[in-house]
Amino acid sequence: MKILVCIKQVPDMESKFKINAEGTWYDGIDLAWRMNEYDEYAVEQAVQLKEQVAGSDLTVLCIGRQQVQETMKKALAIGCDRGVHVADENSHQKDPFEIASVIAEFASDKGFDLIFTGMQSQDRGSAQVGVLIAEMLGMPSISTIVDFAFADGQISAKRELEGGIKALVKTTAPALVTCQLGLNTPRYPTLPNIMKAKKKELLSVEVADLLKVEAKQETAKIYFPEKKGGGLVLEGEVADLADQLIQILKDKTAVLA
Amino acid sequence: MKALLVAEYRDGQLLGSTYELVAFANQLGAESAMFLVGSDSALPQYDGPLYLADSGKYSEFNPAVHKQLLLDVIAKEQPEMVVFAHSSYGWDLAPRIALTLGAAQVSEVVEIVDGVPVAPVCNSKLRRQVKANTDRTVVTLQAGAFGLSDEPSGSPTVEMIDTDSDSAAQIEFCGYEEAEAGGVDLSKADVIVSAGRGIGKPENLEIVEVLAKALGGEYGASRPVVDSDWADHSRQVGTTGQTVSPKLYVACGISGAIQHLAGMKKSEFIVAINTDKDAPIGEVADVLLVADLKQFLPVLTEKVRAL
């Protein structure tokens, strides 16, 4: 069974963001980078499937600068067999249509039976790329899964809907699923596996070889939202803060009465 | 400008998000038509043409078939914009439509400024204005971003629609699984103290729980805490958990993802405790305390107990 998992490297969302000089994206300097959280679940599920189906081969793909290889190595240490780095200095400027086109172009002649992606990225959050890849490849896709099972070529999954309700759906491989948070419990790479991962194949492909379309949209301007409401911000020593808060709750709410 | 609104229907009910699409079209001053795979027993209160496909025949969830039904209506109505809710139904179907139409899709639109859609970036820490390079666009709207100021009213002109592309069904929908019963009904609590990822480890949930008790309330949790199995799903506040509006909501170490905010922003008074004073939770908090939870919460609990 041939499996592909697509991951993205994103900044830690707790970072202090700055706007780049052009005002069109966040500045990539001085940020801590990590694997997109949704993709951690995608990698884990792909590795579990590989372990379930004997003789499987699992490729991890990531688009971006040289630095994304650090994140790819984590996926390799968790259990992916090989990595394909699509080298692109400007991946942050590409829209979901372009990103999906690049991945679909790569995947088109590889015969993947299952493709895993995160349901969205933490930075752009457009929730388009996975579904677009499947549409481009002409395979069924199930988005936002929180449960996954595979048997005899059949995929059974649960989609997460609003309000804690789930939809039970089935489809047949080849197919693509997009993974929601909580799908599984992502494992940590062990030290021996981190060492082994260094020897795994990590191919680099130029994005220009795979990109054959033009963007459908662009970011005209990025900015910090205006602070609304103007809530009170309190800083200081904890005992003082506690006293201040209790006084505020006495004044503004009835809960301490 | 003409907009086609893709209404949502689940388990025999029209979903409230449908009216957010109407509010959006009204705000744009757009002429609109509506598309729904649902039933004539639960029609939207809406003055305009409604293209209705029978969910009994086409299923409530069947992306390939719903796509074909919708494309047929688009071909007839020729809208400049196709509008979805940014929901499990909308974000699943919208890219399929956008790709076929060759249209730009702008996801999770929170507002329109001078005709340009604005979308959140990085957990709402940033916003971006999105310029589409195509004449026709597909948009999905963030839950709660657009709302009608009045109660919905009107009655649609219904046209039943059909497709013969049923053979294209690739996904079999086998029914719903309801949210786990039992657990806590947070909606009844006057005070909710919720734990977020910022609590760091499961052992720290206890200091949140004891504060909740001292305040006579219940403890809640954000999604990451529930996903890590540190708290039961019945404690989850947010889009996929419970929606609450207590007299006091205390958010401990919760950054304020939109999915969480949607579940608690109607609380009467909101206190946030966070080490990051730029955290988006500050957008809705009446008071933001910049403090370390492990130090602050036990002190606060003692002082509350001493009252």
Side-chain angles (χ1 to χ4, degrees):
Chain A
M1 177 162 211
K2 288 189 75 177
I3 312 167
L4 174 68
V5 59
C6 307
I7 65 171
K8 181 176 185 180
Q9 188 187 56
V10 297
D12 189 305
M13 290 300 132
E14 306 287 311
S15 305
K16 292 259 179 241
F17 289 98
K18 287 183 216 139
I19 310 279
N20 69 9
E22 299 78 33
T24 54
W25 204 241
Y26 56 77
D27 196 340
I29 313 289
D30 293 336
L31 291 171
W33 296 86
R34 50 169 292 171
M35 193 188 302
N36 179 40
E37 196 174 8
Y38 298 84
D39 304 344
E40 291 181 355
Y41 294 91
V43 170
E44 174 63 34
Q45 203 63 49
V47 172
Q48 286 185 17
L49 181 64
K50 186 195 101 165
E51 290 167 346
Q52 178 195 334
V53 181
S56 293
D57 185 83
L58 171 55
T59 300
V60 57
L61 178 146
C62 187
I63 306 176
R65 297 178 177 145
Q66 183 68 22
Q67 66 177 41
V68 306
Q69 291 197 4
E70 290 311 308
T71 298
M72 298 185 74
K73 281 174 192 161
K74 183 179 176 189
L76 292 170
I78 288 169
C80 296
D81 295 307
R82 74 197 66 256
V84 175
H85 171 209
V86 180
D88 184 2
E89 286 296 313
N90 297 309
S91 59
H92 60 286
Q93 290 170 340
K94 295 206 166 44
D95 76 349
F97 173 68
E98 288 178 291
I99 296 290
S101 299
V102 165
I103 297 170
E105 180 68 24
F106 166 79
S108 61
D109 59 353
K110 306 290 188 298
F112 291 112
D113 301 291
L114 256 168
I115 302 177
F116 292 86
T117 71
M119 66 87 50
Q120 64 182 352
S121 62
Q122 288 175 279
D123 56 353
R124 240 177 209 273
S126 64
Q128 296 179 29
V129 170
V131 176
L132 285 175
I133 293 167
E135 290 289 300
M136 289 167 179
L137 294 172
M139 59 170 63
S141 61
I142 304 175
S143 65
T144 333
I145 64 163
V146 286
D147 193 71
F148 176 90
F150 178 84
D152 303 327
Q154 272 269 319
I155 295 149
S156 305
K158 294 180 186 172
R159 297 191 71 226
E160 183 183 66
L161 312 182
E162 291 69 26
I165 299 166
K166 292 165 188 159
L168 314 176
V169 291
K170 286 187 178 151
T171 195
T172 310
L176 180 147
V177 293
T178 82
C179 302
Q180 171 62 300
L181 305 176
L183 168 64
N184 48 43
T185 307
R187 72 192 75 180
Y188 292 98
T190 61
L191 190 57
N193 285 340
I194 291 171
M195 301 312 288
K196 270 189 234 161
K198 291 182 200 266
K199 297 200 182 74
K200 287 185 179 173
E201 182 186 4
L202 212 171
L203 268 174
S204 197
V205 187
E206 285 301 319
V207 71
D209 297 340
L210 296 168
L211 181 65
K212 305 197 168 156
V213 300
E214 284 178 9
K216 304 243 179 244
Q217 60 182 290
E218 54 202 83
T219 299
K221 184 183 162 193
I222 196 165
Y223 53 95
F224 289 95
E226 276 177 48
K227 293 270 179 213
K228 283 182 273 186
L232 192 59
V233 177
L234 298 175
E235 294 179 77
E237 197 264 323
V238 290
D240 276 353
L241 285 178
D243 288 335
Q244 288 183 60
L245 178 59
I246 285 171
Q247 194 55 49
I248 290 168
L249 294 182
K250 280 181 177 167
D251 294 345
K252 305 270 183 166
T253 77
V255 300
L256 295 178
Chain B
M1 160 84 164
K2 187 191 266 186
L4 180 64
L5 314 178
V6 181
E8 288 191 51
Y9 185 86
R10 183 181 309 149
D11 221 3
Q13 305 285 327
L14 184 80
L15 298 191
S17 59
T18 303
Y19 297 111
E20 298 183 11
L21 311 179
V22 176
F24 175 78
N26 289 350
Q27 190 184 319
L28 286 185
E31 183 192 343
S32 71
M34 194 178 277
F35 168 90
L36 173 68
V37 183
S39 150
D40 57 10
S41 64
L43 292 176
Q45 293 171 285
Y46 165 73
D47 281 322
L50 171 69
Y51 294 90
L52 179 67
D54 180 5
S55 60
K57 188 171 171 188
Y58 296 113
S59 174
E60 290 185 9
F61 183 72
N62 190 336
V65 172
H66 289 204
K67 172 179 142 184
Q68 192 52 54
L69 287 161
L70 182 49
L71 287 172
D72 291 346
V73 173
I74 292 167
K76 185 174 172 200
E77 281 285 329
Q78 292 294 327
E80 280 93 2
M81 190 182 268
V82 185
V83 187
F84 295 81
H86 193 68
S87 64
S88 57
Y89 182 77
W91 68 56
D92 188 87
L93 190 52
R96 304 173 198 266
I97 296 296
L99 183 67
T100 310
L101 296 178
Q105 181 191 332
V106 187
S107 297
E108 207 179 359
V109 172
V110 292
E111 60 178 341
I112 301 278
V113 176
D114 301 331
V116 180
V118 175
V121 183
C122 293
N123 199 8
S124 291
K125 281 197 162 181
L126 293 160
R127 294 264 167 95
R128 65 189 186 106
Q129 291 182 355
V130 185
K131 181 177 161 285
N133 299 332
T134 58
D135 291 336
R136 184 180 263 166
T137 55
V138 170
V139 297
T140 63
L141 308 182
Q142 185 180 77
F146 300 88
L148 289 176
S149 45
D150 303 315
E151 285 296 305
S153 64
S155 53
T157 313
V158 178
E159 181 177 331
M160 295 302 296
I161 51 170
D162 277 295
T163 176
D164 54 10
S165 79
D166 201 38
S167 57
Q170 299 170 307
I171 307 246
E172 184 191 351
F173 170 58
C174 313
Y176 296 108
E177 183 179 291
E178 295 302 318
E180 295 148 49
V184 196
D185 185 0
L186 291 177
S187 65
K188 292 200 168 60
D190 281 343
V191 178
I192 298 172
V193 184
S194 279
R197 200 198 297 266
I199 65 168
K201 51 184 181 180
E203 296 77 34
N204 291 334
L205 191 63
E206 197 190 339
I207 57 174
V208 173
E209 200 177 341
V210 296
L211 175 62
K213 273 204 188 111
L215 288 165
E218 290 286 351
Y219 77 92
S222 70
R223 176 171 200 137
V225 170
V226 172
D227 281 344
S228 306
D229 282 333
W230 299 352
D232 188 74
H233 182 265
S234 70
R235 300 276 175 184
Q236 188 175 319
V237 174
T239 320
T240 52
Q242 299 194 52
T243 300
V244 299
S245 50
K247 293 193 173 109
L248 173 63
Y249 189 90
V250 185
C252 305
I254 294 176
S255 64
I258 177 65
Q259 293 80 4
H260 188 78
L261 300 186
M264 48 64 75
K265 66 183 177 191
K266 296 207 172 108
S267 304
E268 286 176 32
F269 199 82
I270 299 171
V271 175
I273 304 158
N274 210 301
T275 48
D276 177 7
K277 70 174 166 185
D278 297 323
I281 191 79
E283 290 264 316
V284 300
D286 296 286
V287 183
L288 172 66
L289 294 140
V290 184
D292 181 83
L293 295 168
K294 292 189 289 298
Q295 292 167 16
F296 178 72
L297 291 188
V299 173
L300 179 63
T301 303
E302 278 314 305
K303 286 181 183 280
V304 168
R305 280 179 179 154
L307 287 175

